[in-house]
Amino acid sequence: MSAFRSFVVKETRHILRDRQTLAVLLLMPVAMVLLFGYAIRTDVEDVRVLVVDAARDARSTDLTRALASTHALRLVGVVGGVPQVEPALRAGEADVALLLPSDFARRFARGTAEVLIVSDGANANYAATAESYVRTVVQQWAAQNGGGAPVVRTATRMRFNPTLASQNLFVPGLLAFVLTLVSALMTAISIAKEKETGTMEVLLVSPLRPLQIVVGKVAPYLGLAFVNALTALGVAFVVFGVPVRGSLTLLLVASLVYVLVSLALGVLISSRAPDQRTAMMAALLGLLLPTLALSGFIFPIASMPGWLQPVPNVVPATWYILVVRGIMLKGVGLAVLWKEIAVLCAMAVVLLAAGARSFNDRIE
Amino acid sequence: MADRGPTIPREEAAVWAQDLTRTFGSFIAVDHITFAVAQGEVFGFLGANGAGKTTAIKMLTGLLAPSGGTAHTAGYDVAEQPDEVKRRIGYMSQRFALYDDLTVKENVRFYGGVYGLTDRQIAERMAAMLARLGFERMARERVGRLPLGWKQKLDFSVALLHEPEVVFLDEPTGGVDPVTRRQFWELIYAAAQGGTTVFVTTHYMDEAEYCDRVSIMVAGTIAALGTPAELKAQFAAASIDEVFLRLARPVEEAASS
């Protein structure tokens, strides 16, 4: 048996023998897809709308009537002044407010009318849906009354919670999260464990080359990550009907590149961390947190403060999520996504080289 | 002693070092050490913590490139052909090489594979080894469930599985009781009688007395080298422990003042 094969067999045994961890790793994608899928309510009914009508003319009254007669909306009141909006939202009396300016009719006739939709961002997903209902009604009404294209511009502001989780889009982010967890975190822990117990010393004195050790560590997790990716996609499709509109092959190739990036980061972390605990903390804070918070998965990049907006560019998950969203939801291919995929490939090359080098340096 | 050339010709030595040096920046961890270990010898490599033992062993096992001087282990230059060196040596440290979550058999098979043994060689040697240790019943047991003394014996036997020319033991008997230590040294002697050179570091000075020859490292240099009897005579000491204290103490005092 070749030295490298022995090593991969050993690593696989470690993974298979730790039943608890394995069960967690295998079931987690299923649990997370179900959790995210069910926790995000996508069909919202009985949205309570407050109308702030500063105009009180025929046009604004007509629009208010249109809102009131929409099945999913319930008009909770028409008030004259803006100051009443925030208390109503705060008290939970209204989910969303529509503000019509005093010169509404005049500007509507000129095609420059603007209305403002303010929604209660405390429940971001609900608010997003409510806001989109109102927007739709306004646009339909405008189309019917203005003839042809909508002439109403809507400006939306989320109160209390300026961030907004993108509903229906959780699968791409989830894929990134699961793959990062399995590839980066598990590899980092597994390598750090050998350092902690002292077996790394023995491996380094053996004829195994450092590169073989790293690749041997990484290979079984590559397999596990793929099983996880397919599970997540499968559950999302079967239970929630989330389709893969583009090429599944391209999706898997992009996932492979992303897994390599994560594995390289795991190796980088473990080559610096003296023990499992440090490796775990570094992977959680340094990789998983940015994957969740700075990749556009949970918080849209556009709603981050200006100084923070460049940061997602260096988070690999940002690019991966863009690719997966493109392939899964828009059905686009390499022609559109070549830039994002190129960035991921470049990250993979640079980080793999850095990881191998760092691992080599640290043995001395 | 350190400026004397190796007493054994390079071709005949299992470990041979001349002016072997390693620096880390301005710090000289190992300072021109010169010595040789004969084939089949049990060689004690002593020294206080920080004396440079670990760095020297890393160089001799091909893990760390020397900054100066030459060293040959198992007939190969450690700087030029570290891979050849690694193939021909065994290594065991106080921290076990064995994986607790794997069975005895799986561990043996893994290290056999790492050292390039064929499946057949592994099967034959494993059977012989388990019989010799009386471990047949334990073959399918996970290593984590074995008592410490058993693990140590198994670890040593695994380090010898590929029949290395030299085996490096870095404080192999740490944390075990005197009876187990005694049994362990019987294994060491058996290996030496079989022609394997044993290069051993230890904190137990009574163990140093079991060695054919010992060297004592102080501040990166070899301060004393000879058979235990020679060293005791040279320093007019009753035991190696006394020799060690006499050599190591002035340095420690200088360092702490």
mmCIF file with all atom_site columns, all heavy atoms in Angstrom, chain A residues 73-93:
data_model
loop_
_atom_site.group_PDB
_atom_site.id
_atom_site.type_symbol
_atom_site.label_atom_id
_atom_site.label_alt_id
_atom_site.label_comp_id
_atom_site.label_asym_id
_atom_site.label_entity_id
_atom_site.label_seq_id
_atom_site.pdbx_PDB_ins_code
_atom_site.Cartn_x
_atom_site.Cartn_y
_atom_site.Cartn_z
_atom_site.occupancy
_atom_site.B_iso_or_equiv
_atom_site.pdbx_formal_charge
_atom_site.auth_seq_id
_atom_site.auth_comp_id
_atom_site.auth_asym_id
_atom_site.auth_atom_id
_atom_site.pdbx_PDB_model_num
ATOM 1   N N   . LEU A 1 73 ? -54.064 42.960 1.762  1.00 0.00 ? 73 LEU A N   1
ATOM 2   C CA  . LEU A 1 73 ? -53.781 44.165 2.553  1.00 0.00 ? 73 LEU A CA  1
ATOM 3   C C   . LEU A 1 73 ? -54.995 44.587 3.379  1.00 0.00 ? 73 LEU A C   1
ATOM 4   O O   . LEU A 1 73 ? -56.134 44.337 3.000  1.00 0.00 ? 73 LEU A O   1
ATOM 5   C CB  . LEU A 1 73 ? -53.381 45.327 1.629  1.00 0.00 ? 73 LEU A CB  1
ATOM 6   C CG  . LEU A 1 73 ? -52.198 45.088 0.694  1.00 0.00 ? 73 LEU A CG  1
ATOM 7   C CD1 . LEU A 1 73 ? -51.944 46.336 -0.154 1.00 0.00 ? 73 LEU A CD1 1
ATOM 8   C CD2 . LEU A 1 73 ? -50.941 44.703 1.459  1.00 0.00 ? 73 LEU A CD2 1
ATOM 9   N N   . ARG A 1 74 ? -54.734 45.199 4.496  1.00 0.00 ? 74 ARG A N   1
ATOM 10  C CA  . ARG A 1 74 ? -55.820 45.741 5.316  1.00 0.00 ? 74 ARG A CA  1
ATOM 11  C C   . ARG A 1 74 ? -55.461 47.172 5.681  1.00 0.00 ? 74 ARG A C   1
ATOM 12  O O   . ARG A 1 74 ? -54.407 47.427 6.267  1.00 0.00 ? 74 ARG A O   1
ATOM 13  C CB  . ARG A 1 74 ? -56.002 44.903 6.591  1.00 0.00 ? 74 ARG A CB  1
ATOM 14  C CG  . ARG A 1 74 ? -57.076 45.428 7.530  1.00 0.00 ? 74 ARG A CG  1
ATOM 15  C CD  . ARG A 1 74 ? -57.667 44.298 8.361  1.00 0.00 ? 74 ARG A CD  1
ATOM 16  N NE  . ARG A 1 74 ? -56.639 43.636 9.171  1.00 0.00 ? 74 ARG A NE  1
ATOM 17  C CZ  . ARG A 1 74 ? -56.359 43.984 10.430 1.00 0.00 ? 74 ARG A CZ  1
ATOM 18  N NH1 . ARG A 1 74 ? -56.997 44.985 10.996 1.00 0.00 ? 74 ARG A NH1 1
ATOM 19  N NH2 . ARG A 1 74 ? -55.450 43.335 11.124 1.00 0.00 ? 74 ARG A NH2 1
ATOM 20  N N   . LEU A 1 75 ? -56.336 48.099 5.339  1.00 0.00 ? 75 LEU A N   1
ATOM 21  C CA  . LEU A 1 75 ? -56.084 49.513 5.624  1.00 0.00 ? 75 LEU A CA  1
ATOM 22  C C   . LEU A 1 75 ? -56.402 49.788 7.090  1.00 0.00 ? 75 LEU A C   1
ATOM 23  O O   . LEU A 1 75 ? -57.513 49.546 7.545  1.00 0.00 ? 75 LEU A O   1
ATOM 24  C CB  . LEU A 1 75 ? -56.971 50.376 4.721  1.00 0.00 ? 75 LEU A CB  1
ATOM 25  C CG  . LEU A 1 75 ? -56.612 51.857 4.650  1.00 0.00 ? 75 LEU A CG  1
ATOM 26  C CD1 . LEU A 1 75 ? -55.227 52.034 4.032  1.00 0.00 ? 75 LEU A CD1 1
ATOM 27  C CD2 . LEU A 1 75 ? -57.655 52.606 3.826  1.00 0.00 ? 75 LEU A CD2 1
ATOM 28  N N   . VAL A 1 76 ? -55.407 50.211 7.858  1.00 0.00 ? 76 VAL A N   1
ATOM 29  C CA  . VAL A 1 76 ? -55.669 50.463 9.268  1.00 0.00 ? 76 VAL A CA  1
ATOM 30  C C   . VAL A 1 76 ? -55.916 51.927 9.558  1.00 0.00 ? 76 VAL A C   1
ATOM 31  O O   . VAL A 1 76 ? -56.273 52.291 10.671 1.00 0.00 ? 76 VAL A O   1
ATOM 32  C CB  . VAL A 1 76 ? -54.522 49.944 10.178 1.00 0.00 ? 76 VAL A CB  1
ATOM 33  C CG1 . VAL A 1 76 ? -54.464 48.429 10.137 1.00 0.00 ? 76 VAL A CG1 1
ATOM 34  C CG2 . VAL A 1 76 ? -53.193 50.565 9.787  1.00 0.00 ? 76 VAL A CG2 1
ATOM 35  N N   . GLY A 1 77 ? -55.714 52.766 8.582  1.00 0.00 ? 77 GLY A N   1
ATOM 36  C CA  . GLY A 1 77 ? -56.001 54.167 8.827  1.00 0.00 ? 77 GLY A CA  1
ATOM 37  C C   . GLY A 1 77 ? -55.415 55.074 7.762  1.00 0.00 ? 77 GLY A C   1
ATOM 38  O O   . GLY A 1 77 ? -54.504 54.690 7.035  1.00 0.00 ? 77 GLY A O   1
ATOM 39  N N   . VAL A 1 78 ? -56.004 56.253 7.646  1.00 0.00 ? 78 VAL A N   1
ATOM 40  C CA  . VAL A 1 78 ? -55.455 57.277 6.764  1.00 0.00 ? 78 VAL A CA  1
ATOM 41  C C   . VAL A 1 78 ? -55.194 58.490 7.624  1.00 0.00 ? 78 VAL A C   1
ATOM 42  O O   . VAL A 1 78 ? -56.104 58.999 8.280  1.00 0.00 ? 78 VAL A O   1
ATOM 43  C CB  . VAL A 1 78 ? -56.431 57.625 5.631  1.00 0.00 ? 78 VAL A CB  1
ATOM 44  C CG1 . VAL A 1 78 ? -55.834 58.709 4.721  1.00 0.00 ? 78 VAL A CG1 1
ATOM 45  C CG2 . VAL A 1 78 ? -56.774 56.378 4.809  1.00 0.00 ? 78 VAL A CG2 1
ATOM 46  N N   . VAL A 1 79 ? -53.954 58.915 7.694  1.00 0.00 ? 79 VAL A N   1
ATOM 47  C CA  . VAL A 1 79 ? -53.614 60.065 8.531  1.00 0.00 ? 79 VAL A CA  1
ATOM 48  C C   . VAL A 1 79 ? -53.010 61.148 7.668  1.00 0.00 ? 79 VAL A C   1
ATOM 49  O O   . VAL A 1 79 ? -52.640 60.921 6.512  1.00 0.00 ? 79 VAL A O   1
ATOM 50  C CB  . VAL A 1 79 ? -52.621 59.672 9.652  1.00 0.00 ? 79 VAL A CB  1
ATOM 51  C CG1 . VAL A 1 79 ? -53.276 58.674 10.598 1.00 0.00 ? 79 VAL A CG1 1
ATOM 52  C CG2 . VAL A 1 79 ? -51.335 59.127 9.065  1.00 0.00 ? 79 VAL A CG2 1
ATOM 53  N N   . GLY A 1 80 ? -52.914 62.352 8.246  1.00 0.00 ? 80 GLY A N   1
ATOM 54  C CA  . GLY A 1 80 ? -52.438 63.474 7.463  1.00 0.00 ? 80 GLY A CA  1
ATOM 55  C C   . GLY A 1 80 ? -50.968 63.783 7.642  1.00 0.00 ? 80 GLY A C   1
ATOM 56  O O   . GLY A 1 80 ? -50.340 64.423 6.820  1.00 0.00 ? 80 GLY A O   1
ATOM 57  N N   . GLY A 1 81 ? -50.362 63.277 8.732  1.00 0.00 ? 81 GLY A N   1
ATOM 58  C CA  . GLY A 1 81 ? -49.003 63.726 9.011  1.00 0.00 ? 81 GLY A CA  1
ATOM 59  C C   . GLY A 1 81 ? -48.007 62.597 9.209  1.00 0.00 ? 81 GLY A C   1
ATOM 60  O O   . GLY A 1 81 ? -48.324 61.543 9.751  1.00 0.00 ? 81 GLY A O   1
ATOM 61  N N   . VAL A 1 82 ? -46.787 62.863 8.802  1.00 0.00 ? 82 VAL A N   1
ATOM 62  C CA  . VAL A 1 82 ? -45.692 61.909 8.897  1.00 0.00 ? 82 VAL A CA  1
ATOM 63  C C   . VAL A 1 82 ? -45.388 61.482 10.339 1.00 0.00 ? 82 VAL A C   1
ATOM 64  O O   . VAL A 1 82 ? -45.051 60.332 10.594 1.00 0.00 ? 82 VAL A O   1
ATOM 65  C CB  . VAL A 1 82 ? -44.433 62.497 8.216  1.00 0.00 ? 82 VAL A CB  1
ATOM 66  C CG1 . VAL A 1 82 ? -43.240 61.572 8.371  1.00 0.00 ? 82 VAL A CG1 1
ATOM 67  C CG2 . VAL A 1 82 ? -44.713 62.769 6.744  1.00 0.00 ? 82 VAL A CG2 1
ATOM 68  N N   . PRO A 1 83 ? -45.470 62.410 11.329 1.00 0.00 ? 83 PRO A N   1
ATOM 69  C CA  . PRO A 1 83 ? -45.081 62.032 12.695 1.00 0.00 ? 83 PRO A CA  1
ATOM 70  C C   . PRO A 1 83 ? -45.849 60.838 13.254 1.00 0.00 ? 83 PRO A C   1
ATOM 71  O O   . PRO A 1 83 ? -45.392 60.213 14.191 1.00 0.00 ? 83 PRO A O   1
ATOM 72  C CB  . PRO A 1 83 ? -45.372 63.300 13.514 1.00 0.00 ? 83 PRO A CB  1
ATOM 73  C CG  . PRO A 1 83 ? -45.306 64.403 12.530 1.00 0.00 ? 83 PRO A CG  1
ATOM 74  C CD  . PRO A 1 83 ? -45.799 63.843 11.242 1.00 0.00 ? 83 PRO A CD  1
ATOM 75  N N   . GLN A 1 84 ? -47.008 60.534 12.666 1.00 0.00 ? 84 GLN A N   1
ATOM 76  C CA  . GLN A 1 84 ? -47.792 59.429 13.209 1.00 0.00 ? 84 GLN A CA  1
ATOM 77  C C   . GLN A 1 84 ? -47.298 58.054 12.743 1.00 0.00 ? 84 GLN A C   1
ATOM 78  O O   . GLN A 1 84 ? -47.731 57.033 13.256 1.00 0.00 ? 84 GLN A O   1
ATOM 79  C CB  . GLN A 1 84 ? -49.265 59.587 12.807 1.00 0.00 ? 84 GLN A CB  1
ATOM 80  C CG  . GLN A 1 84 ? -49.999 60.581 13.680 1.00 0.00 ? 84 GLN A CG  1
ATOM 81  C CD  . GLN A 1 84 ? -50.988 61.400 12.876 1.00 0.00 ? 84 GLN A CD  1
ATOM 82  O OE1 . GLN A 1 84 ? -50.610 62.248 12.096 1.00 0.00 ? 84 GLN A OE1 1
ATOM 83  N NE2 . GLN A 1 84 ? -52.256 61.121 13.071 1.00 0.00 ? 84 GLN A NE2 1
ATOM 84  N N   . VAL A 1 85 ? -46.380 58.080 11.759 1.00 0.00 ? 85 VAL A N   1
ATOM 85  C CA  . VAL A 1 85 ? -45.942 56.805 11.167 1.00 0.00 ? 85 VAL A CA  1
ATOM 86  C C   . VAL A 1 85 ? -45.164 55.949 12.160 1.00 0.00 ? 85 VAL A C   1
ATOM 87  O O   . VAL A 1 85 ? -45.495 54.795 12.423 1.00 0.00 ? 85 VAL A O   1
ATOM 88  C CB  . VAL A 1 85 ? -45.098 57.056 9.907  1.00 0.00 ? 85 VAL A CB  1
ATOM 89  C CG1 . VAL A 1 85 ? -44.448 55.769 9.437  1.00 0.00 ? 85 VAL A CG1 1
ATOM 90  C CG2 . VAL A 1 85 ? -45.960 57.643 8.805  1.00 0.00 ? 85 VAL A CG2 1
ATOM 91  N N   . GLU A 1 86 ? -44.122 56.567 12.739 1.00 0.00 ? 86 GLU A N   1
ATOM 92  C CA  . GLU A 1 86 ? -43.238 55.759 13.576 1.00 0.00 ? 86 GLU A CA  1
ATOM 93  C C   . GLU A 1 86 ? -43.932 55.168 14.800 1.00 0.00 ? 86 GLU A C   1
ATOM 94  O O   . GLU A 1 86 ? -43.759 53.979 15.073 1.00 0.00 ? 86 GLU A O   1
ATOM 95  C CB  . GLU A 1 86 ? -41.992 56.561 13.972 1.00 0.00 ? 86 GLU A CB  1
ATOM 96  C CG  . GLU A 1 86 ? -40.935 55.650 14.569 1.00 0.00 ? 86 GLU A CG  1
ATOM 97  C CD  . GLU A 1 86 ? -39.541 56.218 14.450 1.00 0.00 ? 86 GLU A CD  1
ATOM 98  O OE1 . GLU A 1 86 ? -39.226 56.831 13.425 1.00 0.00 ? 86 GLU A OE1 1
ATOM 99  O OE2 . GLU A 1 86 ? -38.774 56.032 15.409 1.00 0.00 ? 86 GLU A OE2 1
ATOM 100 N N   . PRO A 1 87 ? -44.755 55.978 15.519 1.00 0.00 ? 87 PRO A N   1
ATOM 101 C CA  . PRO A 1 87 ? -45.470 55.367 16.656 1.00 0.00 ? 87 PRO A CA  1
ATOM 102 C C   . PRO A 1 87 ? -46.334 54.187 16.233 1.00 0.00 ? 87 PRO A C   1
ATOM 103 O O   . PRO A 1 87 ? -46.369 53.167 16.919 1.00 0.00 ? 87 PRO A O   1
ATOM 104 C CB  . PRO A 1 87 ? -46.331 56.519 17.182 1.00 0.00 ? 87 PRO A CB  1
ATOM 105 C CG  . PRO A 1 87 ? -45.632 57.758 16.731 1.00 0.00 ? 87 PRO A CG  1
ATOM 106 C CD  . PRO A 1 87 ? -44.988 57.430 15.435 1.00 0.00 ? 87 PRO A CD  1
ATOM 107 N N   . ALA A 1 88 ? -46.990 54.294 15.096 1.00 0.00 ? 88 ALA A N   1
ATOM 108 C CA  . ALA A 1 88 ? -47.868 53.217 14.634 1.00 0.00 ? 88 ALA A CA  1
ATOM 109 C C   . ALA A 1 88 ? -47.074 51.950 14.347 1.00 0.00 ? 88 ALA A C   1
ATOM 110 O O   . ALA A 1 88 ? -47.492 50.841 14.689 1.00 0.00 ? 88 ALA A O   1
ATOM 111 C CB  . ALA A 1 88 ? -48.632 53.663 13.384 1.00 0.00 ? 88 ALA A CB  1
ATOM 112 N N   . LEU A 1 89 ? -45.903 52.137 13.722 1.00 0.00 ? 89 LEU A N   1
ATOM 113 C CA  . LEU A 1 89 ? -45.071 50.972 13.412 1.00 0.00 ? 89 LEU A CA  1
ATOM 114 C C   . LEU A 1 89 ? -44.501 50.375 14.692 1.00 0.00 ? 89 LEU A C   1
ATOM 115 O O   . LEU A 1 89 ? -44.457 49.170 14.875 1.00 0.00 ? 89 LEU A O   1
ATOM 116 C CB  . LEU A 1 89 ? -43.928 51.363 12.467 1.00 0.00 ? 89 LEU A CB  1
ATOM 117 C CG  . LEU A 1 89 ? -44.303 51.686 11.015 1.00 0.00 ? 89 LEU A CG  1
ATOM 118 C CD1 . LEU A 1 89 ? -43.062 52.064 10.221 1.00 0.00 ? 89 LEU A CD1 1
ATOM 119 C CD2 . LEU A 1 89 ? -45.006 50.521 10.342 1.00 0.00 ? 89 LEU A CD2 1
ATOM 120 N N   . ARG A 1 90 ? -44.067 51.272 15.586 1.00 0.00 ? 90 ARG A N   1
ATOM 121 C CA  . ARG A 1 90 ? -43.479 50.827 16.848 1.00 0.00 ? 90 ARG A CA  1
ATOM 122 C C   . ARG A 1 90 ? -44.481 50.046 17.681 1.00 0.00 ? 90 ARG A C   1
ATOM 123 O O   . ARG A 1 90 ? -44.153 49.023 18.260 1.00 0.00 ? 90 ARG A O   1
ATOM 124 C CB  . ARG A 1 90 ? -43.018 52.036 17.659 1.00 0.00 ? 90 ARG A CB  1
ATOM 125 C CG  . ARG A 1 90 ? -41.522 52.165 17.694 1.00 0.00 ? 90 ARG A CG  1
ATOM 126 C CD  . ARG A 1 90 ? -41.100 53.213 18.702 1.00 0.00 ? 90 ARG A CD  1
ATOM 127 N NE  . ARG A 1 90 ? -39.960 53.966 18.224 1.00 0.00 ? 90 ARG A NE  1
ATOM 128 C CZ  . ARG A 1 90 ? -38.752 53.466 18.117 1.00 0.00 ? 90 ARG A CZ  1
ATOM 129 N NH1 . ARG A 1 90 ? -38.518 52.208 18.441 1.00 0.00 ? 90 ARG A NH1 1
ATOM 130 N NH2 . ARG A 1 90 ? -37.761 54.188 17.660 1.00 0.00 ? 90 ARG A NH2 1
ATOM 131 N N   . ALA A 1 91 ? -45.695 50.543 17.714 1.00 0.00 ? 91 ALA A N   1
ATOM 132 C CA  . ALA A 1 91 ? -46.729 49.895 18.525 1.00 0.00 ? 91 ALA A CA  1
ATOM 133 C C   . ALA A 1 91 ? -47.260 48.632 17.861 1.00 0.00 ? 91 ALA A C   1
ATOM 134 O O   . ALA A 1 91 ? -48.029 47.892 18.452 1.00 0.00 ? 91 ALA A O   1
ATOM 135 C CB  . ALA A 1 91 ? -47.873 50.877 18.765 1.00 0.00 ? 91 ALA A CB  1
ATOM 136 N N   . GLY A 1 92 ? -46.831 48.387 16.620 1.00 0.00 ? 92 GLY A N   1
ATOM 137 C CA  . GLY A 1 92 ? -47.281 47.188 15.928 1.00 0.00 ? 92 GLY A CA  1
ATOM 138 C C   . GLY A 1 92 ? -48.687 47.326 15.393 1.00 0.00 ? 92 GLY A C   1
ATOM 139 O O   . GLY A 1 92 ? -49.351 46.335 15.117 1.00 0.00 ? 92 GLY A O   1
ATOM 140 N N   . GLU A 1 93 ? -49.149 48.569 15.242 1.00 0.00 ? 93 GLU A N   1
ATOM 141 C CA  . GLU A 1 93 ? -50.505 48.778 14.714 1.00 0.00 ? 93 GLU A CA  1
ATOM 142 C C   . GLU A 1 93 ? -50.515 48.672 13.195 1.00 0.00 ? 93 GLU A C   1
ATOM 143 O O   . GLU A 1 93 ? -51.528 48.391 12.576 1.00 0.00 ? 93 GLU A O   1
ATOM 144 C CB  . GLU A 1 93 ? -51.029 50.154 15.136 1.00 0.00 ? 93 GLU A CB  1
ATOM 145 C CG  . GLU A 1 93 ? -51.420 50.194 16.607 1.00 0.00 ? 93 GLU A CG  1
ATOM 146 C CD  . GLU A 1 93 ? -51.391 51.608 17.171 1.00 0.00 ? 93 GLU A CD  1
ATOM 147 O OE1 . GLU A 1 93 ? -51.268 52.570 16.382 1.00 0.00 ? 93 GLU A OE1 1
ATOM 148 O OE2 . GLU A 1 93 ? -51.476 51.740 18.409 1.00 0.00 ? 93 GLU A OE2 1
#
